[in-house]
Amino acid sequence: MAKFNLKVNGKIRKVDIDPTTPMLWVLRDHLGLVGTKYGCGIAQCGACTIHLNGTAMRSCMLPVSAIGNQEITTIEGLSENGDHPVQKAWLEHDVAQCGYCQAGQIMSAVSLLKNNPNPSDEEIESAMNGNICRCATYTRIKAAIKTAAKK
Amino acid sequence: MTLIKTSYNRRSFLKVSALSGGGFVIGFSMLTGFKPLDKQVEESALREIFNLNSYIKITDKGEITILSPNPEFGQNVRTSMPMIVAEELDVEWQKVIVEQAPYNTQLYGRQFTGGSQSIRQSWKALRTAGATARQMLRQAASQAWNVPLEEITTEAGVLYHKASGKSATYGQMASAAAKIPVPKEVKLKEVKSFKLLNTPQKNVEGEKIVTGKPLFTMDYRVEGMLIAMIVHPPAFGLKLKSFDAASVNKMAGIKDVFSIKVYNDDYAREMFDTRTFNELVIIVGNSTWEVMNAKKKLVAEWEPISTSTEKVSFFGQKRDETIPAGLENTNLHYQKMKEMNEKPAEVLRKDGNPEEAFAKAAQIIERTYTCPFLAHNCMEPMTCFAHVTEDKVFLAAPIQAPEFVERTISARLGIPIEKIDIELLRMGGGFGRRAYGHYMVEAALISQKVKAPIKLIYTREDDMTYGIYRPTYIVTYRAALDANKNLIGFHVKGGGFPESAVHANRFPAGAIDNYLAESWALPTNITIGAFRAPRSNFIAGAEQAFLDELAEVVGKDPIAFRLELLKKAKENPVGKNNDYDASRYMGVLELVREKSDWDSSESKKRNRGVAAYFCHNSYAAHVVELSIKEVQVIVDKVVSAMDCGIVVNPEGAVNMVEGAVIDGIGNALYGNLTFKDGAAEQKNFDKYRIIRHKEAPKSIEVHFVKNEIDPTGLGEPPFPPVMGALANALYKATGKRFYSQPFQPELGKVGG
Ligand code: FES
Ligand code: FES
């Protein structure tokens, strides 16, 4: 067990926990932030994507001990009222089917647009390739990213 | 207008009328829990709520809630089912609050998500619920204003009496309407006068999804909840011999280690009670990570199973099923399937004299197709929350078939059904997998044992290696042609582990004078289950690839060739039990031909493949257009034509077809679950290939045949034929026919 002061969605959150615990489970089990999802646990599906200092990162293989001062943002902290341009674009394109992967998709998309405000189709495909959508909403995701890029 | 008797759910009305006597008062927060974010109203405001029937709640302030009966797994019934009620009720859709109905088959009838049946089976009931409530509101207004019922009209949740200029909102009349006896008959709207149906509407839970709200069972949390995981045998054909609880029970956070029997030995399994590994080791602890760690460390011994016979009860029909001993291998499955398909098998259908047709044929075309086992891989792995106390079982779960598992749990725990409560949570995917509720039985047993609320979580590896797969199949098609290349005989023979995918009465049965369908099956200890369009998901692609090859041999355009056969089936059908409507089949082919610009010379130059199929009551046709870069398939465009009758919500319907198209392409190219010595060789997404962003089609166009036929489903029908269209387009691109799924490994060998 070890104590950590984590910066999550702009707040300091204290946990006393096994330092090997992946951030995914710290968020879900200890901080009650369940928007970040478990899909594979081996950094292959992207369901657990969060931002570490604004950059997309898989949280399922990221031990809490590696966080230090870095700022964590989860889907819950992406915007105050669910009105981030990417979230709005997702609604406009009615992207979700089951919805389980979408928090991870959105976190990856936001990170992509931050680094590349006007990505080409190929750039979108590459940046998003680590996020599986088993319901296969890929064409809508791509359209939503393009819409968000225009805003 | 259609006049419809309302007696279908008389019981449900009687049951709620007790509640609706004078309405009951609750805090509005109960409603806001389900409200979209932009519609929050004052939380503290008290409302009187009137249940006009089990689907509709109206408050005195005019808020209207519609309950959606069926479990949601991404097919968007939580939007489309309430839309149907709202249409007949005549309310403003944007203001409607949607809730998941409680699980209660007395109130809602069939609450089953599967077989693409939700809309089809509930169409009348949902319309009637809306129409009945509207009628009661109109009657209340007619009494209040002392005017004839016929003169009361409605519009967007308001009642009007035009002559006197009187009007009232539904909320103002709700109290009086709740006291009106349920009418014996109601009129349903004409399809032509639909205002809401067939207009595109967004997913009612969209905002919650994009903001990460806790919608799923994985997200379910209560005070004092423990986490439970399973450890199952590492291979099919093995069972638990012993385990050493001491190897993990001292680890941090671990509360208990024990084993459970999912079903009792003599239990006659029902349809969805698939018994994969009957004895499981269970680890219970405080947190997911701690239990996961213990799971890796658990010391257990496994031993071979012996061949056994199980009692199975399918809809009251009892039979015995053999579970063979042994550790199975994929290469042997294929070898055995090929051997079996060379022998005569059970004749399912015979028209004319196929033997003679083949004997006198000038040319015989014979092709064999195979496919592997597939894992569903729902994005949210199997999971269930359970809290079992002395007098009650409460479960919250992603489940497609609650009615079935409720019976199973009742039998297994010895607790009457009335004491079992199931909350239907949004599923992180289903695809058929979640009709098999063993994980709910397991969760209930675990909670009962540890006397605490628990959440059972499967790891991805558990989920992928637990069984209940799409079976591995083989099929051989033979066509007999005369000297003029007329199709004079057709023969389909297929089988698999442990079932065959041959549908004897589907097209092209009915279109060919001399026809033979044969089938066989071999037992396996690898468990199987429904997977998005069971059996069709293989046979459609094979059949459509064969017809394509046949069209080429006889020198005809693939669409024209199919239409010719269908014309014969329509005008002069062979046999009686043909399981399709040839005109609707032709309809989707004609639509896809038009929309894909099939006949233009420009389009002919591209690598296109076509396929059409009918299953689960709807018709689908696709044209896939692709190119190949090195060994990577780039699907440039897919044009789809569907006939599912009236399209309830085009937005959701198009999304569903797009998903099915991509899923079909993904499975046909990459989907593959193989076995070595009984163990699945793919245990997670590093080895099991799911289609990803880069591999998805660049564009998908979806078109619907316009008609006024009662709606049928869309979750499954577009899925099977796309595999055939893909195979046919691959042939155009490579000059090579693809017979064995997945296609990608073969493509790697031939290149582009
Ligand atoms: S759960 Fe982290 S990538 Fe799949
Ligand atoms: S929407 Fe279901 S997995 Fe993406």
Side-chain angles (χ1 to χ4, degrees):
Chain A
M1 290 295 179
K3 290 195 166 66
F4 298 94
N5 289 328
L6 301 167
K7 278 190 220 160
V8 182
N9 297 335
K11 291 197 189 97
I12 299 290
R13 306 288 302 260
K14 292 182 194 306
V15 286
D16 186 4
I17 201 175
D18 168 2
T20 68
T21 310
M23 250 340 275
L24 170 65
W25 300 113
V26 177
L27 292 168
R28 292 184 56 84
D29 282 1
H30 302 274
L31 301 178
L33 292 168
V34 294
T36 307
K37 296 292 191 269
Y38 166 73
C40 69
I42 58 164
Q44 290 291 321
C45 77
C48 65
T49 307
I50 58 168
H51 291 173
L52 209 54
N53 285 345
T55 301
M57 192 74 69
R58 313 289 179 231
S59 65
C60 63
M61 293 187 84
L62 179 69
V64 60
S65 59
I67 304 293
N69 285 327
Q70 301 177 87
E71 302 231 9
I72 290 167
T73 310
T74 70
I75 187 76
E76 291 92 342
L78 194 58
S79 63
E80 192 85 344
N81 300 307
D83 52 4
H84 186 285
V86 172
Q87 287 169 314
K88 287 193 359 210
W90 243 248
L91 293 177
E92 188 181 326
H93 289 272
D94 207 33
V95 171
Q97 283 189 29
C98 83
Y100 192 81
C101 73
Q102 300 297 349
Q105 305 276 2
I106 290 171
M107 296 309 279
S108 290
V110 170
S111 174
L112 159 68
L113 291 176
K114 208 174 142 197
N115 298 320
N116 182 356
N118 216 341
S120 66
D121 281 21
E122 289 69 35
E123 286 167 336
I124 294 174
E125 287 166 16
S126 295
M128 300 300 294
N129 214 43
N131 286 79
I132 292 176
C133 175
R134 178 65 185 87
C135 302
T137 60
Y138 298 124
T139 37
R140 283 176 186 245
I141 291 174
K142 197 196 273 177
I145 293 175
K146 287 184 178 174
T147 295
K150 286 194 205 106
K151 293 200 171 143
Chain B
M1 278 191 201
T2 330
L3 206 59
I4 190 153
K5 294 223 181 311
T6 59
S7 56
Y8 76 99
N9 60 359
R10 183 78 205 162
R11 265 156 89 206
S12 65
F13 289 111
L14 289 179
K15 205 154 169 165
V16 294
S17 63
L19 283 176
S20 59
F24 59 102
V25 180
I26 59 157
F28 197 71
S29 58
M30 209 179 132
L31 285 173
T32 51
F34 293 92
K35 279 181 75 68
L37 297 175
D38 62 349
K39 292 173 206 151
Q40 297 284 357
V41 289
E42 254 196 284
E43 292 264 340
S44 59
L46 285 183
R47 295 286 195 276
E48 207 172 354
I49 299 178
F50 301 94
N51 292 269
L52 294 194
N53 55 51
S54 53
Y55 295 91
I56 297 163
K57 295 194 253 186
I58 301 183
T59 72
D60 53 350
K61 300 285 184 295
E63 290 97 359
I64 293 165
T65 301
I66 300 180
L67 287 87
S68 180
N70 283 22
E72 170 69 58
F73 68 3
Q75 83 284 40
N76 215 0
V77 281
R78 204 170 281 178
T79 303
S80 54
M81 292 183 107
M83 277 174 72
I84 300 169
V85 179
E87 175 72 62
E88 294 284 352
L89 184 59
D90 199 7
V91 288
E92 227 178 311
W93 174 246
Q94 297 313 325
K95 291 196 182 148
V96 167
I97 300 161
V98 170
E99 280 180 24
Q100 172 67 52
Y103 167 64
N104 185 335
T105 50
Q106 282 201 353
L107 292 181
Y108 301 101
R110 185 180 183 279
Q111 288 180 287
F112 176 88
T113 285
S116 302
Q117 294 302 304
S118 292
I119 296 293
R120 177 171 175 256
Q121 304 259 0
S122 301
W123 173 243
K124 286 250 152 59
L126 294 168
R127 291 182 72 188
T128 310
T132 308
R134 177 172 170 270
Q135 166 98 339
M136 288 156 75
L137 286 158
R138 285 173 62 236
Q139 279 180 7
S142 131
Q143 284 173 14
W145 301 333
N146 203 13
V147 296
L149 175 64
E150 301 70 53
E151 294 174 11
I152 309 278
T153 58
T154 61
E155 168 116 38
V158 182
L159 296 141
Y160 294 96
H161 183 251
K162 293 266 152 72
S164 66
K166 287 198 167 79
S167 70
T169 66
Y170 282 7
Q172 288 164 335
M173 276 303 159
S175 165
K179 294 184 196 107
I180 302 269
V182 177
K184 294 221 165 56
E185 283 184 339
V186 287
K187 281 178 185 159
L188 300 182
K189 280 188 176 176
E190 297 282 356
V191 173
K192 278 180 207 43
S193 54
F194 283 165
K195 284 186 268 185
L196 174 63
L197 296 188
N198 203 238
T199 65
Q201 300 298 333
K202 308 269 190 244
N203 188 329
V204 294
E205 289 194 316
E207 292 172 48
K208 288 179 203 161
I209 290 167
V210 303
T211 51
K213 294 285 176 302
L215 296 171
F216 302 93
T217 304
M218 276 283 184
D219 308 338
Y220 204 92
R221 295 153 56 86
V222 299
E223 200 55 42
M225 179 182 85
L226 299 172
I227 299 292
M229 289 198 181
I230 63 162
V231 178
H232 69 65
F236 295 89
L238 294 180
K239 63 178 177 156
L240 182 65
K241 184 177 179 206
S242 66
F243 66 98
D244 180 14
S247 60
V248 295
N249 64 10
K250 297 268 156 27
M251 287 176 71
I254 298 307
K255 293 280 199 189
D256 211 344
V257 183
F258 51 93
S259 69
I260 58 166
K261 265 196 172 177
V262 187
Y263 304 104
N264 289 325
D265 288 334
D266 56 352
Y267 177 64
R269 293 197 291 108
E270 277 199 68
M271 179 125 181
F272 295 115
D273 295 330
T274 297
R275 189 200 303 259
T276 302
F277 304 111
N278 205 39
E279 199 172 4
L280 303 169
V281 182
I282 303 296
I283 304 176
V284 181
N286 291 329
S287 72
T288 314
W289 184 242
E290 287 167 324
V291 179
M292 273 182 172
N293 283 333
K295 200 167 132 58
K296 284 177 216 140
K297 293 269 157 60
L298 181 88
V299 174
E301 276 191 289
W302 316 96
E303 61 186 355
I305 60 167
S306 30
T307 298
S308 64
T309 307
E310 278 193 2
K311 284 193 210 347
V312 183
S313 158
F314 275 8
F315 297 106
Q317 282 214 357
K318 295 218 181 351
R319 59 180 167 86
D320 286 340
E321 212 174 86
T322 301
I323 313 294
L327 303 177
E328 300 181 21
N329 287 287
T330 293
N331 54 357
L332 291 176
H333 285 147
Y334 283 122
Q335 195 184 314
K336 195 84 203 158
M337 289 200 297
K338 292 204 169 104
E339 278 168 34
M340 286 295 291
N341 233 29
E342 269 154 29
K343 297 183 210 161
E346 185 195 345
V347 174
L348 301 180
R349 171 167 171 160
K350 189 169 165 176
D351 298 324
N353 192 338
E355 292 83 359
E356 193 188 71
F358 278 92
K360 68 175 191 203
Q363 189 181 358
I364 293 175
I365 319 286
E366 178 178 325
R367 301 289 182 263
T368 295
Y369 303 79
T370 61
C371 73
F373 283 98
L374 293 177
H376 297 75
N377 286 319
C378 302
M379 210 65 222
E380 174 192 40
M382 297 306 116
T383 177
C384 177
F385 170 85
H387 193 188
V388 177
T389 51
E390 286 287 298
D391 55 345
K392 210 180 142 201
V393 175
F394 174 75
L395 301 154
I399 180 75
Q400 292 178 235
E403 201 174 345
F404 288 83
V405 74
E406 187 182 46
R407 283 207 291 274
T408 312
I409 292 167
S410 168
R412 179 63 183 88
L413 271 69
I415 290 174
I417 287 209
E418 304 78 70
K419 298 199 166 160
I420 302 174
D421 228 347
I422 299 176
E423 189 176 342
L424 304 174
L425 293 178
R426 186 176 190 90
M427 293 175 249
F431 310 103
R433 177 63 178 85
R434 292 197 221 263
Y436 304 84
H438 58 88
Y439 47 94
M440 293 177 69
V441 183
E442 292 156 19
L445 289 167
I446 297 165
S447 174
Q448 189 181 46
K449 169 77 171 48
V450 300
K451 298 189 170 54
I454 63 107
K455 183 164 66 185
L456 171 67
I457 296 178
Y458 276 38
T459 61
R460 174 57 57 196
E461 290 82 358
D462 295 332
D463 187 281
M464 208 179 285
T465 58
Y466 193 97
I468 317 198
Y469 304 123
R470 194 285 296 272
T472 183
Y473 298 115
I474 191 168
V475 69
T476 298
Y477 286 99
R478 292 166 70 226
L481 303 176
D482 68 13
N484 299 319
K485 301 220 185 269
N486 292 310
L487 179 58
I488 55 168
F490 196 89
H491 179 199
V492 50
K493 176 161 60 179
F497 289 96
E499 62 167 29
S500 157
V502 173
H503 284 282
N505 297 322
R506 288 197 183 158
F507 183 74
I512 301 154
D513 294 328
N514 304 299
Y515 173 90
L516 176 66
E518 291 178 275
S519 180
W520 56 267
L522 284 178
T524 169
N525 57 37
I526 298 166
T527 54
I528 61 114
F531 183 109
R532 196 173 206 169
R535 297 172 288 283
S536 306
N537 61 34
F538 164 63
I539 206 81
E543 169 205 297
Q544 290 293 311
F546 185 67
L547 290 182
D548 208 70
E549 205 165 337
L550 212 49
E552 189 183 30
V553 173
V554 303
K556 287 183 179 154
D557 169 78
I559 294 183
F561 178 65
R562 286 170 174 81
L563 288 172
E564 222 172 81
L565 289 171
L566 284 160
K567 189 161 176 270
K568 154 117 174 130
K570 182 180 164 187
E571 289 167 2
N572 201 2
V574 182
K576 284 204 172 46
N577 299 320
N578 302 321
D579 181 16
Y580 58 93
D581 176 335
S583 338
R584 292 181 78 186
Y585 226 127
M586 293 167 83
V588 287
L589 270 166
E590 280 157 358
L591 184 62
V592 90
R593 178 168 64 182
E594 176 203 326
K595 297 293 181 187
S596 68
D597 206 12
W598 181 263
D599 292 326
S600 81
S601 51
E602 200 35 54
S603 160
K604 279 184 180 151
K605 288 183 207 144
R606 299 199 280 263
N607 305 315
R608 308 168 309 170
V610 67
Y613 203 65
F614 165 67
C615 68
H616 297 87
N617 315 99
S618 296
Y619 298 79
H622 307 287
V623 169
V624 168
E625 205 181 288
L626 55 79
S627 48
I628 292 177
K629 247 196 210 150
E630 286 150 27
V631 293
Q632 173 66 45
V633 179
I634 313 287
V635 178
D636 301 301
K637 189 171 177 184
V638 180
V639 179
S640 303
M642 302 295 311
D643 180 355
C644 58
I646 296 162
V647 181
V648 172
N649 177 11
E651 182 82 65
V654 170
N655 197 344
M656 188 90 293
V657 178
E658 291 169 351
V661 161
I662 304 175
D663 189 13
I665 291 171
N667 277 302
L669 283 174
Y670 315 118
N672 198 12
L673 189 74
T674 58
F675 295 90
K676 189 156 195 302
D677 299 328
E681 293 184 286
Q682 298 76 23
K683 297 179 170 60
N684 205 325
F685 296 134
D686 53 343
K687 295 265 167 56
Y688 195 104
R689 195 161 165 196
I690 302 269
I691 191 165
R692 289 172 182 269
H693 279 274
K694 276 186 190 171
E695 298 140 358
K698 304 301 168 206
S699 97
I700 305 173
E701 247 180 51
V702 182
H703 303 273
F704 293 93
V705 173
K706 287 193 180 41
N707 58 39
E708 292 190 4
I709 299 170
D710 285 356
T712 48
L714 264 184
E716 289 163 301
F719 179 64
V722 76
M723 307 191 200
L726 175 79
N728 298 338
L730 278 175
Y731 168 67
K732 285 284 162 55
T734 63
K736 189 188 170 328
R737 294 277 176 188
F738 288 76
Y739 300 103
S740 308
Q741 290 181 22
F743 301 144
Q744 183 64 42
E746 193 65 19
L747 189 72
K749 284 179 225 156
V750 292

